[in-house]
Amino acid sequence: MRRLLIVLVLALLGSGVASGAADSARLLVMDVSNQVIQALNKDPDLAERDPAAMYKLLNSIVVPHFDFDATAKLVLGRAWRDMTPEQQQRFIQEFSTHLIRIYAGSLVKFKDQTIEYKPLRAPAAADDVAVHTEVQQGNGPVIPIDYRMHLKGSDWKVYDVSIDGISLVASNRSSYAAEIRKGGIDTLTARLARINRESGG
């Protein structure tokens, strides 16, 4: 998952064409990414020097555009339906915080990448789209990134990200299911909470 989130932050620049709803989703990904990069350009060492400040920055710029409720439901699958509302909310809180912590740590490694947004077309009334991008890592291989987004009300929200064909949801689903079978959802949530505390809250 760390590799997945390291590459997630890299979708910054590029070109492509889209139509209707898909274009709005693509432009949102570009805008949010550029806001993060502009902040890093002003303070390149922020993620390493002051993790708490980086968490605050990401919470204000990135988090509003993710649908962590939908991501949590997809990650937990059938286990979600067996949870109380209180358990669901605790898991969403710790799970989203955990992802942001990893995301912030990945920004320390961000440099020398370029991004191409692939042409993407969708019906004008589409409410679920994939924004396709490719990350070029200097002399390294090109890494495809797909942002799965849906309309929640009138706003586009990211609910899954696939890196090189591996999705954030799929990469956690099996391990989380095994942990829930062994110790229950509260054990999983408590482990995420402990990791979050150890990484700065």
Side-chain angles (χ1 to χ4, degrees):
M1 185 170 63
R2 181 173 297 277
R3 176 176 178 271
L4 194 69
L5 289 170
I6 287 173
V7 184
L8 164 62
V9 74
L10 306 180
L12 316 173
L13 302 172
S15 61
V17 294
S19 63
D23 190 51
S24 298
R26 174 180 170 275
L27 291 175
L28 176 62
V29 171
M30 293 179 68
D31 178 60
V32 172
S33 299
N34 282 325
Q35 288 184 57
V36 174
I37 294 310
Q38 288 172 9
L40 287 177
N41 286 340
K42 292 179 180 178
D43 192 349
D45 299 323
L46 179 63
E48 190 169 14
R49 188 187 72 255
D50 191 348
M54 177 55 70
Y55 302 155
K56 184 176 180 180
L57 175 70
L58 295 178
N59 278 319
S60 65
I61 296 176
V62 176
V63 170
H65 303 291
F66 271 75
D67 187 352
F68 286 115
D69 290 24
T71 304
K73 291 177 184 178
L74 290 170
V75 165
L76 294 181
R78 296 174 61 180
W80 178 265
R81 297 191 292 272
D82 297 328
M83 296 163 63
T84 66
E86 292 75 16
Q87 287 176 315
Q88 292 172 350
Q89 289 306 306
R90 285 198 299 273
F91 176 79
I92 290 170
Q93 176 62 46
E94 299 301 342
F95 178 61
S96 60
T97 300
H98 179 56
L99 296 184
I100 291 298
R101 298 297 189 262
I102 295 176
Y103 186 21
S106 74
L107 292 172
V108 175
K109 303 176 179 66
F110 176 74
K111 59 182 65 177
D112 301 327
Q113 285 86 8
T114 59
I115 306 300
E116 179 186 0
Y117 282 77
K118 307 303 291 183
L120 186 152
R121 295 176 173 84
D127 60 4
D128 193 305
V129 301
V131 177
H132 304 282
T133 70
E134 290 185 348
V135 176
Q136 178 62 59
Q137 302 185 101
N139 295 324
V142 172
I143 301 176
I145 308 174
D146 296 339
Y147 296 83
R148 295 297 315 188
M149 304 178 71
H150 63 189
L151 277 173
K152 189 172 184 178
S154 59
D155 299 321
W156 283 105
K157 304 285 185 179
V158 176
Y159 66 88
D160 193 15
V161 180
S162 293
I163 308 297
D164 206 10
I166 301 174
S167 84
L168 172 66
V169 168
S171 65
N172 286 286
R173 183 184 287 142
S174 60
S175 62
Y176 282 6
E179 191 166 351
I180 291 170
R181 286 194 299 270
K182 183 178 180 180
I185 184 61
D186 290 336
T187 298
L188 170 59
T189 303
R191 181 177 67 80
L192 294 177
R194 183 175 64 256
I195 293 172
N196 291 336
R197 289 194 302 272
E198 292 171 353
S199 64

